[in-house]
Amino acid sequence: EDPYLAIVVDPVRTMAAGKVEIGAFRTYPPNYKPPDAAASEYQTIPLDKIEDFGVHANQYYPLDVSFFKSSLDSHLLSLLWNKYWISTLSTSSVVANRDYTVKSIRDLSGKMEQGESQLSSSSRMAGYYLPSDKKQEESPVNKICKDSTKIAIEQLQGLMTQVAKDALFNFKSAPMTD
C-alpha cells in the first residue's frame, strides 16, 4: 500500500498562460501525521475548491516537476503544428479563454468580499502580535494581489500575442510618394 501519486495538467490554465501548467503530488501514507512543514508557494485556488483543498491539505505534498522533449516528441509536435497552424494563428486566447477569465474575476471578487469581511470582523490590534514576516505572508490582501496579478498577466500575454499577429499579418505599407 504505497502512497498514491497524482499528475495534474490544467488545460484551462495552460491555454490561458500559453505554457503547460503541470503539477505532481504524492499522498502521505494512511495514519501518517505530516510534520509542520514550511508554507509552500502560494497557489491561486478558486473559492469553490478552497474547501476541498483545506480538507485534504495535510494528506499530500507537491513534488518537483521537470520534463523533456525527445526527437519523437519533436516530430509529433511538428506534425500537429503543420496540421493546425492556421487555427493556432487565427484564434485569440483572449476570446477563447473568456469564460475562464470571467470566472477568475468573479472568484477574485468573492475573495475580496471575503477578505473585507474578515478584516472588518477581526480586531485591529490582533495583527500587531504577529511577526511582520508572518503578517505579510498570510495577508488576504497579499493573496488577492497575487491572484489579480496572475489574471492581469494572462490577459496581457493574450493581448500582446494579438498585437504581434496583427503586426505580422495585417501590415499595411505606407503609401508611396513621388
Side-chain angles (χ1 to χ4, degrees):
E1 282 191 28
D2 288 334
Y4 295 103
L5 174 72
I7 298 173
V8 180
V9 177
D10 189 333
V12 176
R13 284 187 180 175
T14 294
M15 286 293 296
K19 63 180 180 145
V20 177
E21 291 286 332
I22 188 169
F25 306 90
R26 186 169 185 198
T27 61
Y28 289 115
N31 302 322
Y32 177 77
K33 184 83 172 169
D36 289 339
S40 61
E41 184 178 325
Y42 177 73
Q43 294 181 348
T44 301
I45 301 171
L47 276 175
D48 58 346
K49 296 290 183 187
I50 284 178
E51 189 174 310
D52 291 340
F53 278 79
V55 169
H56 305 291
N58 293 328
Q59 296 176 357
Y60 64 90
Y61 58 96
L63 300 171
D64 290 334
V65 176
S66 64
F67 52 92
F68 65 95
K69 183 170 67 168
S70 70
S71 59
L72 183 59
D73 295 332
S74 296
H75 179 68
L76 181 59
L77 289 171
S78 176
L79 290 173
L80 287 170
W81 173 253
N82 289 337
K83 185 173 182 175
Y84 296 108
W85 70 271
I86 294 174
S87 173
T88 302
L89 292 176
S90 64
T91 58
S92 166
S93 64
V94 174
V95 174
N97 296 322
R98 66 179 169 244
D99 291 339
Y100 168 74
T101 302
V102 168
K103 184 179 177 189
S104 296
I105 292 171
R106 193 173 292 138
D107 187 70
L108 181 63
S109 172
K111 287 179 181 178
M112 289 173 74
E113 289 174 7
Q114 196 176 60
E116 182 181 23
S117 67
Q118 286 175 357
L119 286 174
S120 65
S121 67
S122 66
S123 169
R124 288 181 162 220
M125 295 299 288
Y128 291 112
Y129 297 111
L130 291 173
S132 61
D133 294 347
K134 195 160 187 163
K135 275 197 285 188
Q136 185 176 5
E137 179 185 315
E138 295 178 354
S139 166
V141 174
N142 192 26
K143 292 178 180 179
I144 290 168
C145 286
K146 286 182 180 182
D147 288 354
S148 62
T149 300
K150 179 184 166 293
I151 293 168
I153 288 171
E154 288 171 353
Q155 289 303 297
L156 190 58
Q157 287 173 334
L159 291 171
M160 288 185 338
T161 302
Q162 283 307 112
V163 168
K165 287 178 186 179
D166 185 53
L168 286 171
F169 301 112
N170 297 327
F171 179 76
K172 295 180 181 160
S173 61
M176 305 264 308
T177 58
D178 293 328

